[in-house]
Amino acid sequence: MDIEPLPGMKINGHELDHRFLETLRVIGKTFSQRKAARILGVTPQVLNRRILRSESLLGVKLVKSSGAGSELTPEGMEILRTYMHHLKVLSGSGRLMVAAGYVSSNLAEVLIERFGVEASLFSCCDDDLFHLAERSMLDVIFLDDPLQAYQRGLDFLPVAYDHLVLVGGDAMTMGELDGSLFVGVEGSAQRLAWEVLSDSGVSFEIVREVRSPYHAHRIVKSEQELRTFLSASQFSGSEILRNETRHVISAVVCRESERVEEFMDLIRGEGQEAVLEAGFEPLH
């Protein structure tokens, strides 16, 4: 089926349907109400009534006519620009829009570059990914920790594995971590390390919490009394909790399309070689 989504808009509390918005689009292209009516398959009288009704609702002039033809007023152009933006978003054309956590963005970047995928990539913490997804038309998001998707009841696809390493100090047993001061990273897989330490009766304190693992790494390197747990794919450290902190790097499809499906198939197939190249553990 050939499906073409055509949105309506609400302006100053008044709803304008796609028929009027298409009227603005065609007039803006042809500079003629008569040609626009012919293209849209309506009579010039019907087209004129659409314009007058919308102008009356909004209380502004949207189309200006002269002996040379018709053109949109600045207010009409503003509405048209917004409408064209929504059309572009709904069509899903252009680059794939991908957002990823601070750690998984390294994997997404390698996959995009290695296979020549036309995509824009944004990096932020996992929690911010969902705020971004709610406010823009993302195609795919990659999560450093699948808990965020699980808590929201979303389907997620495993794409790689990772685990945590201890950065700061050279402890080889959990007992050596008793009394440690840690830097935490919001919304990260560190929760696995905290759970293991707590269950093992290790006393510790998270004295500072930051959004980026790279920020946490800088702090620990500059303040010798502090420690942190960070992803082994990106950082070096003691693998004291390697098995206990192994976790999935996952992807959530935000917008279904043939291109997104091809991208996901690539990641879980041939792309697993790139997973290893990016420092992660492949699924198979």
Side-chain angles (χ1 to χ4, degrees):
M1 292 184 293
D2 184 14
I3 299 175
E4 182 182 3
L6 294 174
M9 290 168 54
K10 181 177 282 188
I11 302 175
N12 296 337
H14 300 291
E15 294 186 4
L16 302 181
D17 64 20
H18 72 273
R19 291 177 301 175
F20 172 71
L21 297 170
E22 280 292 292
T23 297
L24 285 187
R25 182 183 69 81
V26 179
I27 290 175
K29 183 178 181 180
T30 63
F31 297 98
S32 167
Q33 291 189 44
R34 187 168 294 278
K35 289 181 181 178
R38 186 166 61 250
I39 291 171
L40 294 170
V42 298
T43 65
Q45 293 78 12
V46 168
L47 184 134
N48 188 250
R49 283 198 296 270
R50 285 182 187 174
I51 296 170
L52 293 176
R53 176 183 176 276
S54 297
E55 289 179 337
S56 177
L57 283 175
L58 300 180
V60 294
K61 193 75 173 169
L62 300 175
V63 178
K64 180 172 60 178
S65 298
S66 67
S70 297
E71 62 180 313
L72 303 185
T73 66
E75 292 81 5
M77 285 299 301
E78 181 181 359
I79 294 172
L80 179 59
R81 281 193 294 269
T82 303
Y83 176 60
M84 295 304 294
H85 170 74
H86 286 307
L87 279 182
K88 185 176 181 180
V89 168
L90 287 172
S91 69
S93 60
R95 289 169 166 252
L96 284 179
M97 302 296 287
V98 180
Y102 287 117
V103 172
S104 54
S105 61
N106 294 281
L107 172 57
E109 182 176 12
V110 169
L111 290 165
I112 289 169
E113 290 183 354
R114 176 162 179 175
F115 295 101
V117 178
E118 292 215 9
S120 295
L121 176 62
F122 306 90
S123 178
C124 54
C125 69
D126 276 11
D127 191 47
D128 285 347
L129 289 175
F130 292 99
H131 291 290
L132 185 59
E134 290 169 0
R135 289 163 174 76
S136 61
M137 294 298 287
L138 294 176
D139 293 295
V140 182
I141 59 176
F142 288 84
L143 301 170
D144 295 351
D145 182 2
L147 179 65
Q148 296 280 354
Y150 180 78
Q151 289 176 330
R152 290 170 169 81
L154 299 174
D155 292 331
F156 59 88
L157 299 173
V159 295
Y161 291 107
D162 201 355
H163 64 274
L164 301 181
V165 293
L166 174 69
V167 180
D170 54 359
M172 299 303 295
T173 67
M174 278 194 284
E176 295 176 67
L177 296 178
D178 200 63
S180 292
L181 303 177
F182 285 100
V183 176
V185 180
E186 296 177 12
S188 74
Q190 278 184 341
R191 62 180 178 83
L192 299 170
W194 310 145
E195 289 170 6
V196 171
L197 294 182
S198 296
D199 291 345
S200 301
V202 175
S203 175
F204 67 94
E205 183 179 358
I206 301 172
V207 297
R208 186 169 177 183
E209 196 160 27
V210 296
R211 298 166 67 84
S212 163
Y214 302 102
H215 189 189
H217 186 261
R218 288 194 298 271
I219 293 172
V220 169
K221 287 302 181 183
S222 64
E223 300 182 34
Q224 298 300 315
E225 74 278 10
L226 299 180
R227 290 170 162 162
T228 191
F229 281 97
L230 300 174
S231 295
S233 61
Q234 308 304 314
F235 301 94
S236 299
S238 169
E239 303 211 339
I240 183 173
L241 298 183
R242 176 187 176 92
N243 294 331
E244 295 87 345
T245 60
R246 187 171 185 258
H247 58 279
V248 169
I249 300 297
S250 60
V252 175
V253 173
C254 302
R255 180 165 53 170
E256 299 278 357
S257 73
E258 185 175 341
R259 292 187 309 139
V260 170
E261 185 177 348
E262 290 174 354
F263 185 46
M264 299 310 301
D265 287 344
L266 176 67
I267 293 171
R268 292 167 62 82
E270 185 182 355
Q272 286 297 297
E273 295 180 12
V275 166
L276 188 61
E277 176 187 322
F280 297 83
E281 182 183 341
L283 296 176
H284 45 72

